[in-house]
mmCIF file of all heavy atoms in Angstrom:
data_model
loop_
_atom_site.group_PDB
_atom_site.id
_atom_site.type_symbol
_atom_site.label_atom_id
_atom_site.label_comp_id
_atom_site.label_asym_id
_atom_site.label_seq_id
_atom_site.Cartn_x
_atom_site.Cartn_y
_atom_site.Cartn_z
ATOM 1 N N SER Q 59 -10.337 -7.129 0.016
ATOM 2 C CA SER Q 59 -10.975 -6.665 1.249
ATOM 3 C C SER Q 59 -12.022 -5.596 0.971
ATOM 4 O O SER Q 59 -12.955 -5.417 1.757
ATOM 5 C CB SER Q 59 -9.922 -6.105 2.216
ATOM 6 O OG SER Q 59 -9.101 -7.130 2.728
ATOM 7 N N ARG Q 60 -11.882 -4.906 -0.134
ATOM 8 C CA ARG Q 60 -12.806 -3.823 -0.463
ATOM 9 C C ARG Q 60 -13.896 -4.246 -1.441
ATOM 10 O O ARG Q 60 -14.940 -3.605 -1.511
ATOM 11 C CB ARG Q 60 -12.005 -2.632 -1.004
ATOM 12 C CG ARG Q 60 -11.280 -1.932 0.136
ATOM 13 C CD ARG Q 60 -9.981 -1.271 -0.281
ATOM 14 N NE ARG Q 60 -9.416 -0.579 0.885
ATOM 15 C CZ ARG Q 60 -8.684 -1.187 1.829
ATOM 16 N NH1 ARG Q 60 -8.409 -2.478 1.723
ATOM 17 N NH2 ARG Q 60 -8.214 -0.510 2.860
ATOM 18 N N ASN Q 61 -13.631 -5.274 -2.199
ATOM 19 C CA ASN Q 61 -14.679 -5.834 -3.051
ATOM 20 C C ASN Q 61 -14.365 -7.311 -3.282
ATOM 21 O O ASN Q 61 -13.392 -7.643 -3.946
ATOM 22 C CB ASN Q 61 -14.779 -5.106 -4.387
ATOM 23 C CG ASN Q 61 -16.016 -5.529 -5.163
ATOM 24 O OD1 ASN Q 61 -16.262 -6.707 -5.398
ATOM 25 N ND2 ASN Q 61 -16.816 -4.550 -5.571
ATOM 26 N N GLN Q 62 -15.188 -8.170 -2.731
ATOM 27 C CA GLN Q 62 -14.870 -9.587 -2.748
ATOM 28 C C GLN Q 62 -15.234 -10.268 -4.059
ATOM 29 O O GLN Q 62 -15.151 -11.497 -4.172
ATOM 30 C CB GLN Q 62 -15.487 -10.263 -1.517
ATOM 31 C CG GLN Q 62 -14.801 -9.755 -0.258
ATOM 32 C CD GLN Q 62 -15.314 -10.340 1.039
ATOM 33 O OE1 GLN Q 62 -16.241 -11.125 1.067
ATOM 34 N NE2 GLN Q 62 -14.688 -9.934 2.143
ATOM 35 N N ASN Q 63 -15.567 -9.467 -5.087
ATOM 36 C CA ASN Q 63 -15.653 -9.977 -6.449
ATOM 37 C C ASN Q 63 -14.302 -9.867 -7.162
ATOM 38 O O ASN Q 63 -14.169 -10.326 -8.299
ATOM 39 C CB ASN Q 63 -16.712 -9.214 -7.248
ATOM 40 C CG ASN Q 63 -18.116 -9.578 -6.790
ATOM 41 O OD1 ASN Q 63 -18.438 -10.748 -6.612
ATOM 42 N ND2 ASN Q 63 -18.951 -8.573 -6.579
ATOM 43 N N TYR Q 64 -13.318 -9.266 -6.492
ATOM 44 C CA TYR Q 64 -11.981 -9.175 -7.075
ATOM 45 C C TYR Q 64 -11.320 -10.543 -7.095
ATOM 46 O O TYR Q 64 -11.463 -11.330 -6.155
ATOM 47 C CB TYR Q 64 -11.118 -8.195 -6.270
ATOM 48 C CG TYR Q 64 -9.666 -8.199 -6.705
ATOM 49 C CD1 TYR Q 64 -9.269 -7.479 -7.822
ATOM 50 C CD2 TYR Q 64 -8.724 -8.958 -6.016
ATOM 51 C CE1 TYR Q 64 -7.947 -7.504 -8.241
ATOM 52 C CE2 TYR Q 64 -7.407 -8.985 -6.427
ATOM 53 C CZ TYR Q 64 -7.020 -8.259 -7.541
ATOM 54 O OH TYR Q 64 -5.712 -8.295 -7.955
ATOM 55 N N ARG Q 65 -10.550 -10.826 -8.164
ATOM 56 C CA ARG Q 65 -9.764 -12.045 -8.274
ATOM 57 C C ARG Q 65 -8.338 -11.698 -8.723
ATOM 58 O O ARG Q 65 -8.126 -10.710 -9.431
ATOM 59 C CB ARG Q 65 -10.403 -13.027 -9.259
ATOM 60 C CG ARG Q 65 -11.731 -13.621 -8.762
ATOM 61 C CD ARG Q 65 -11.538 -14.463 -7.515
ATOM 62 N NE ARG Q 65 -12.782 -15.018 -6.979
ATOM 63 C CZ ARG Q 65 -13.515 -14.464 -6.029
ATOM 64 N NH1 ARG Q 65 -13.165 -13.280 -5.528
ATOM 65 N NH2 ARG Q 65 -14.610 -15.045 -5.585
ATOM 66 N N GLU Q 66 -7.398 -12.518 -8.329
ATOM 67 C CA GLU Q 66 -5.985 -12.195 -8.482
ATOM 68 C C GLU Q 66 -5.552 -11.858 -9.914
ATOM 69 O O GLU Q 66 -4.745 -10.949 -10.102
ATOM 70 C CB GLU Q 66 -5.133 -13.326 -7.903
ATOM 71 C CG GLU Q 66 -5.255 -13.419 -6.384
ATOM 72 C CD GLU Q 66 -4.404 -14.521 -5.774
ATOM 73 O OE1 GLU Q 66 -3.809 -15.301 -6.545
ATOM 74 O OE2 GLU Q 66 -4.332 -14.600 -4.529
ATOM 75 N N PRO Q 67 -6.008 -12.547 -10.952
ATOM 76 C CA PRO Q 67 -5.535 -12.200 -12.300
ATOM 77 C C PRO Q 67 -5.928 -10.799 -12.757
ATOM 78 O O PRO Q 67 -5.338 -10.272 -13.712
ATOM 79 C CB PRO Q 67 -6.185 -13.274 -13.193
ATOM 80 C CG PRO Q 67 -6.517 -14.405 -12.271
ATOM 81 C CD PRO Q 67 -6.868 -13.752 -10.969
ATOM 82 N N MET Q 68 -6.904 -10.193 -12.108
ATOM 83 C CA MET Q 68 -7.419 -8.907 -12.584
ATOM 84 C C MET Q 68 -6.370 -7.802 -12.548
ATOM 85 O O MET Q 68 -6.273 -6.992 -13.482
ATOM 86 C CB MET Q 68 -8.640 -8.496 -11.751
ATOM 87 C CG MET Q 68 -9.842 -9.393 -11.931
ATOM 88 S SD MET Q 68 -11.221 -8.858 -10.857
ATOM 89 C CE MET Q 68 -12.476 -10.061 -11.289
ATOM 90 N N LEU Q 69 -5.586 -7.722 -11.475
ATOM 91 C CA LEU Q 69 -4.598 -6.653 -11.374
ATOM 92 C C LEU Q 69 -3.479 -6.847 -12.386
ATOM 93 O O LEU Q 69 -3.012 -5.876 -12.998
ATOM 94 C CB LEU Q 69 -4.018 -6.574 -9.955
ATOM 95 C CG LEU Q 69 -3.028 -5.435 -9.718
ATOM 96 C CD1 LEU Q 69 -3.689 -4.077 -9.974
ATOM 97 C CD2 LEU Q 69 -2.468 -5.495 -8.302
ATOM 98 N N ASP Q 70 -3.036 -8.089 -12.575
ATOM 99 C CA ASP Q 70 -1.998 -8.352 -13.567
ATOM 100 C C ASP Q 70 -2.459 -7.915 -14.954
ATOM 101 O O ASP Q 70 -1.689 -7.311 -15.719
ATOM 102 C CB ASP Q 70 -1.643 -9.844 -13.579
ATOM 103 C CG ASP Q 70 -1.004 -10.298 -12.275
ATOM 104 O OD1 ASP Q 70 -0.357 -9.459 -11.615
ATOM 105 O OD2 ASP Q 70 -1.171 -11.476 -11.907
ATOM 106 N N ARG Q 71 -3.689 -8.210 -15.285
ATOM 107 C CA ARG Q 71 -4.226 -7.820 -16.595
ATOM 108 C C ARG Q 71 -4.361 -6.302 -16.692
ATOM 109 O O ARG Q 71 -4.086 -5.701 -17.746
ATOM 110 C CB ARG Q 71 -5.583 -8.493 -16.803
ATOM 111 C CG ARG Q 71 -6.192 -8.257 -18.168
ATOM 112 C CD ARG Q 71 -7.348 -9.214 -18.442
ATOM 113 N NE ARG Q 71 -8.407 -9.084 -17.441
ATOM 114 C CZ ARG Q 71 -8.739 -10.038 -16.590
ATOM 115 N NH1 ARG Q 71 -8.076 -11.190 -16.574
ATOM 116 N NH2 ARG Q 71 -9.728 -9.847 -15.727
ATOM 117 N N PHE Q 72 -4.762 -5.672 -15.596
ATOM 118 C CA PHE Q 72 -4.937 -4.219 -15.587
ATOM 119 C C PHE Q 72 -3.602 -3.502 -15.792
ATOM 120 O O PHE Q 72 -3.544 -2.440 -16.408
ATOM 121 C CB PHE Q 72 -5.567 -3.807 -14.252
ATOM 122 C CG PHE Q 72 -6.224 -2.457 -14.260
ATOM 123 C CD1 PHE Q 72 -7.091 -2.085 -15.270
ATOM 124 C CD2 PHE Q 72 -5.991 -1.556 -13.226
ATOM 125 C CE1 PHE Q 72 -7.709 -0.849 -15.272
ATOM 126 C CE2 PHE Q 72 -6.599 -0.311 -13.219
ATOM 127 C CZ PHE Q 72 -7.453 0.044 -14.243
ATOM 128 N N LEU Q 73 -2.526 -4.099 -15.290
ATOM 129 C CA LEU Q 73 -1.183 -3.541 -15.476
ATOM 130 C C LEU Q 73 -0.643 -3.835 -16.859
ATOM 131 O O LEU Q 73 -0.195 -2.929 -17.573
ATOM 132 C CB LEU Q 73 -0.233 -4.119 -14.417
ATOM 133 C CG LEU Q 73 1.273 -3.851 -14.623
ATOM 134 C CD1 LEU Q 73 1.597 -2.384 -14.363
ATOM 135 C CD2 LEU Q 73 2.108 -4.764 -13.726
ATOM 136 N N ALA Q 74 -0.670 -5.104 -17.269
ATOM 137 C CA ALA Q 74 0.042 -5.539 -18.468
ATOM 138 C C ALA Q 74 -0.709 -5.258 -19.760
ATOM 139 O O ALA Q 74 -0.091 -4.911 -20.776
ATOM 140 C CB ALA Q 74 0.342 -7.034 -18.369
ATOM 141 N N LYS Q 75 -2.018 -5.398 -19.758
ATOM 142 C CA LYS Q 75 -2.791 -5.262 -20.988
ATOM 143 C C LYS Q 75 -3.538 -3.935 -21.071
ATOM 144 O O LYS Q 75 -3.482 -3.239 -22.079
ATOM 145 C CB LYS Q 75 -3.772 -6.436 -21.125
ATOM 146 C CG LYS Q 75 -3.083 -7.795 -21.245
ATOM 147 C CD LYS Q 75 -4.085 -8.891 -21.526
ATOM 148 C CE LYS Q 75 -3.396 -10.263 -21.621
ATOM 149 N NZ LYS Q 75 -2.368 -10.317 -22.676
ATOM 150 N N ASP Q 76 -4.246 -3.591 -19.998
ATOM 151 C CA ASP Q 76 -5.063 -2.371 -20.030
ATOM 152 C C ASP Q 76 -4.248 -1.109 -19.797
ATOM 153 O O ASP Q 76 -4.705 -0.013 -20.131
ATOM 154 C CB ASP Q 76 -6.165 -2.456 -18.975
ATOM 155 C CG ASP Q 76 -7.079 -3.644 -19.176
ATOM 156 O OD1 ASP Q 76 -7.161 -4.142 -20.315
ATOM 157 O OD2 ASP Q 76 -7.713 -4.087 -18.198
ATOM 158 N N ARG Q 77 -3.057 -1.278 -19.199
ATOM 159 C CA ARG Q 77 -2.221 -0.125 -18.835
ATOM 160 C C ARG Q 77 -3.006 0.862 -17.972
ATOM 161 O O ARG Q 77 -2.878 2.085 -18.092
ATOM 162 C CB ARG Q 77 -1.680 0.585 -20.081
ATOM 163 C CG ARG Q 77 -0.750 -0.273 -20.922
ATOM 164 C CD ARG Q 77 0.589 -0.450 -20.262
ATOM 165 N NE ARG Q 77 1.528 -1.184 -21.106
ATOM 166 C CZ ARG Q 77 2.176 -2.285 -20.748
ATOM 167 N NH1 ARG Q 77 1.974 -2.796 -19.547
ATOM 168 N NH2 ARG Q 77 3.021 -2.867 -21.563
ATOM 169 N N GLY Q 78 -3.823 0.307 -17.089
ATOM 170 C CA GLY Q 78 -4.612 1.160 -16.209
ATOM 171 C C GLY Q 78 -3.843 1.653 -15.009
ATOM 172 O O GLY Q 78 -4.263 2.611 -14.343
ATOM 173 N N VAL Q 79 -2.717 0.998 -14.693
ATOM 174 C CA VAL Q 79 -1.868 1.393 -13.572
ATOM 175 C C VAL Q 79 -0.409 1.324 -14.004
ATOM 176 O O VAL Q 79 -0.073 0.681 -15.000
ATOM 177 C CB VAL Q 79 -2.077 0.474 -12.335
ATOM 178 C CG1 VAL Q 79 -3.427 0.692 -11.694
ATOM 179 C CG2 VAL Q 79 -1.886 -1.001 -12.713
ATOM 180 N N PHE Q 80 0.441 1.989 -13.236
ATOM 181 C CA PHE Q 80 1.881 1.841 -13.409
ATOM 182 C C PHE Q 80 2.492 1.559 -12.049
ATOM 183 O O PHE Q 80 1.894 1.846 -11.010
ATOM 184 C CB PHE Q 80 2.508 3.083 -14.054
ATOM 185 C CG PHE Q 80 2.528 4.318 -13.185
ATOM 186 C CD1 PHE Q 80 3.659 4.676 -12.445
ATOM 187 C CD2 PHE Q 80 1.417 5.160 -13.116
ATOM 188 C CE1 PHE Q 80 3.679 5.817 -11.660
ATOM 189 C CE2 PHE Q 80 1.434 6.310 -12.334
ATOM 190 C CZ PHE Q 80 2.567 6.641 -11.597
ATOM 191 N N GLU Q 81 3.671 0.986 -12.067
ATOM 192 C CA GLU Q 81 4.366 0.665 -10.826
ATOM 193 C C GLU Q 81 5.432 1.696 -10.521
ATOM 194 O O GLU Q 81 6.174 2.110 -11.405
ATOM 195 C CB GLU Q 81 5.042 -0.714 -10.925
ATOM 196 C CG GLU Q 81 4.113 -1.882 -10.827
ATOM 197 C CD GLU Q 81 4.874 -3.200 -10.696
ATOM 198 O OE1 GLU Q 81 6.074 -3.165 -10.346
ATOM 199 O OE2 GLU Q 81 4.272 -4.248 -10.950
ATOM 200 N N HIS Q 82 5.494 2.106 -9.273
ATOM 201 C CA HIS Q 82 6.621 2.901 -8.796
ATOM 202 C C HIS Q 82 6.634 2.864 -7.281
ATOM 203 O O HIS Q 82 5.976 2.019 -6.668
ATOM 204 C CB HIS Q 82 6.608 4.329 -9.348
ATOM 205 C CG HIS Q 82 7.993 4.916 -9.348
ATOM 206 N ND1 HIS Q 82 8.360 5.962 -8.527
ATOM 207 C CD2 HIS Q 82 9.101 4.583 -10.041
ATOM 208 C CE1 HIS Q 82 9.636 6.243 -8.728
ATOM 209 N NE2 HIS Q 82 10.113 5.417 -9.639
ATOM 210 N N PHE Q 83 7.360 3.787 -6.688
ATOM 211 C CA PHE Q 83 7.622 3.761 -5.259
ATOM 212 C C PHE Q 83 6.883 4.874 -4.549
ATOM 213 O O PHE Q 83 7.087 6.055 -4.833
ATOM 214 C CB PHE Q 83 9.127 3.918 -5.017
ATOM 215 C CG PHE Q 83 9.616 3.213 -3.779
ATOM 216 C CD1 PHE Q 83 9.859 1.856 -3.791
ATOM 217 C CD2 PHE Q 83 9.840 3.910 -2.607
ATOM 218 C CE1 PHE Q 83 10.320 1.196 -2.662
ATOM 219 C CE2 PHE Q 83 10.298 3.265 -1.466
ATOM 220 C CZ PHE Q 83 10.541 1.902 -1.491
#
Side-chain angles (χ1 to χ4, degrees):
S59 290
R60 286 150 177 83
N61 190 307
Q62 293 180 358
N63 288 314
Y64 172 81
R65 291 296 178 266
E66 292 181 353
M68 293 178 179
L69 183 60
D70 295 331
R71 185 166 59 245
F72 200 48
L73 169 71
K75 297 186 181 301
D76 301 337
R77 296 287 184 235
V79 290
F80 69 97
E81 285 190 18
H82 204 248
F83 211 80

